[in-house]
C-alpha cells in the first residue's frame, strides 16, 4: 500500500503567516487503536495523539521507545525550495534508527508537527504496519518531501 500524506485545515495558514518553526518540526509515530485517525479539524498534537490526563508528555496513541524518542524525532536539514512556478516543497533528511532492546512499532502513521507550537501540520498514513526489530533499520523516508504546497491564483 502507498503512503498518503494529508494536511490539516490550518497548515497553509500557519506557513503563510510564518507561524511554523521549521527548525523544530518533528515526526511522531502513531499506533492504530482507531483513535489515531486523521481529522482535518484537529488543531493540537494532543487532539491527534490522544493526550492522557495528568501527563502532558504521555499520549495514548504515540509509539516510541527502543531508539525512537518520545514526542517524535526532530527533522534534520529542513529546507524549503521552489519546485515549479507555484509550488514549494519542505523537505528534510530521512529518519533512520536501529532499535535496541526491543521493537520500534508496530506503527501505522506519522504525525508531522511544529514542536514549538504543538500544531499538527501533516498526517502520513503508511497504508500498512511498519515495524523494526532489534538490529533492523527503521526508516521513515520522505521521497516526495515532507510537505508540498501549490499556490493557485484566484
Amino acid at each position: 500500500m502507498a503512503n498518503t500524506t494529508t494536511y490539516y485545515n490550518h497548515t497553509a495558514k500557519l506557513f503563510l503567516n510564518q507561524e511554523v518553526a521549521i527548525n523544530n518540526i518533528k515526526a511522531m509515530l502513531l499506533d492504530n487503536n482507531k483513535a489515531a485517525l486523521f481529522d482535518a479539524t484537529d488543531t493540537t498534537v494532543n487532539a491527534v495523539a490522544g493526550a492522557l490526563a495528568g501527563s502532558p508528555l504521555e499520549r495514548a496513541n504515540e509509539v516510541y521507545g527502543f531508539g525512537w524518542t518520545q514526542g517524535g524525532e526532530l527533522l534534520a536539514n529542513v529546507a524549503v525550495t521552489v519546485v515549479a512556478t507555484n509550488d514549494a516543497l519542505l523537505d528534510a533528511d530521512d529518519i533512520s534508527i536501529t532499535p535496541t532492546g526491543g521493537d520500534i512499532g508496530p506503527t501505522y502513521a506519522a504525525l508531522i508537527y511544529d514542536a514549538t507550537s504543538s500544531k499538527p501540520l501533516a498526517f502520513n498514513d503508511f497504508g500498512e504496519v511498519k515495524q523494526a526489530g532489534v538490529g533492523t533499520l527503521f526508516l521513515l523516508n520522505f521521497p516526495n518531501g515532507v510537505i508540498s504546497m501549490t499556490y493557485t491564483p484566484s
Side-chain angles (χ1 to χ4, degrees):
M1 300 187 110
N3 279 346
T4 56
T5 300
T6 314
Y7 305 114
Y8 293 89
N9 290 345
H10 62 248
T11 300
K13 173 207 162 280
L14 293 173
F15 278 99
L16 288 171
N17 283 342
Q18 299 177 5
E19 297 176 40
V20 177
I22 66 166
N23 292 323
N24 200 19
I25 295 176
K26 292 186 175 184
M28 176 187 291
L29 298 179
L30 300 172
D31 67 11
N32 190 28
N33 68 4
K34 303 302 180 201
L37 299 174
F38 176 76
D39 180 342
T41 64
D42 284 340
T43 59
T44 66
V45 169
N46 286 342
V48 178
L52 294 175
S55 180
L57 297 179
E58 289 288 326
R59 295 180 177 100
N61 305 317
E62 182 181 4
V63 174
Y64 65 90
F66 306 113
W68 193 275
T69 305
Q70 183 180 18
E73 297 297 326
L74 184 66
L75 300 187
N77 297 312
V78 176
V80 178
T81 58
V82 175
V83 178
T85 303
N86 296 329
D87 298 338
L89 180 70
L90 182 139
D91 203 359
D93 292 348
D94 295 341
I95 300 171
S96 60
I97 295 176
T98 302
T100 57
D103 295 351
I104 294 177
T107 181
Y108 299 81
L111 173 65
I112 307 301
Y113 74 99
D114 178 352
T116 300
S117 66
S118 292
K119 299 281 186 191
L121 301 171
F123 189 93
N124 186 335
D125 185 333
F126 302 143
E128 62 187 6
V129 64
K130 284 185 74 139
Q131 186 166 349
V134 174
T136 303
L137 186 67
F138 183 92
L139 179 64
L140 180 57
N141 63 348
F142 307 106
N144 300 313
V146 180
I147 295 174
S148 64
M149 293 191 175
T150 300
Y151 167 72
T152 306
S154 52

